[in-house]
Amino acid sequence: MNEYSEFSPGLPRQADMGAAGAAPGSLAAIIGRIEEAVEAETQAIRSDPAFDIKASNARKSRYLYELNRAMKAGRPETMAEHRDGLLRLRQKLARNEAAILAHLNAVTEVANLLKDAIQHAEADGTYSAGQFGWAQS
């Protein structure tokens, strides 16, 4: 689907089919869509500085909503059929979490460097205690 929503830029208007022709609301299709979105986000976080994480978060939230609805509507024997897919999804989410945490740590480090540089530039000694003779013991 190449059509995009006018209300959420960058997000598909309708959910794509995902897993090999499965119905859009089926658990296998939902798991497939989540896996694709998580893999794409993980790769983009690692390689694309202009990646739109807000749109990706919105997409993942929508898919999580779909997954929750499908899980609530499913029967226990149906859930057992999708165990491998859910375990695979859990592993991909763990890798995604690691990439997001690395990204956040890098952003925090850059912010701290900028803060320190600004403080150093502002602290040029103009109003230091030594200027007024108060620092003498």
Side-chain angles (χ1 to χ4, degrees):
M1 301 223 151
N2 290 336
E3 296 182 36
Y4 289 90
S5 169
E6 63 187 85
F7 301 109
S8 300
L11 295 179
R13 185 177 303 224
Q14 297 175 351
D16 42 359
M17 290 301 282
S26 76
L27 194 53
I30 294 167
I31 292 170
R33 284 194 301 272
I34 296 171
E35 283 181 306
E36 289 173 10
V38 167
E39 286 176 349
E41 180 182 86
T42 302
Q43 181 62 30
I45 286 172
R46 292 178 177 159
S47 62
D48 183 6
F51 177 66
D52 187 359
I53 200 151
K54 185 177 179 182
S56 183
N57 257 357
R59 188 176 309 111
K60 288 190 311 182
S61 293
R62 186 178 65 236
Y63 292 159
L64 179 60
Y65 174 75
E66 290 177 20
L67 179 64
N68 281 333
R69 287 187 53 145
M71 297 282 284
K72 286 179 183 177
R75 298 180 315 274
E77 57 272 7
T78 305
M79 297 301 133
E81 294 173 16
H82 298 286
R83 187 179 196 298
D84 290 339
L86 291 170
L87 291 174
R88 191 175 58 245
L89 177 60
R90 178 182 280 177
Q91 291 170 347
K92 290 179 182 185
L93 286 168
R95 286 192 296 272
N96 181 255
E97 178 185 22
I100 291 171
L101 287 175
H103 181 75
L104 288 174
N105 287 337
V107 168
T108 300
E109 187 66 30
V110 169
N112 286 335
L113 288 171
L114 290 172
K115 179 187 76 165
D116 292 345
I118 291 169
Q119 287 175 344
H120 180 67
E122 289 178 347
D124 62 357
T126 305
Y127 299 107
S128 66
Q131 289 287 60
F132 298 104
W134 298 340
Q136 298 173 0
S137 338

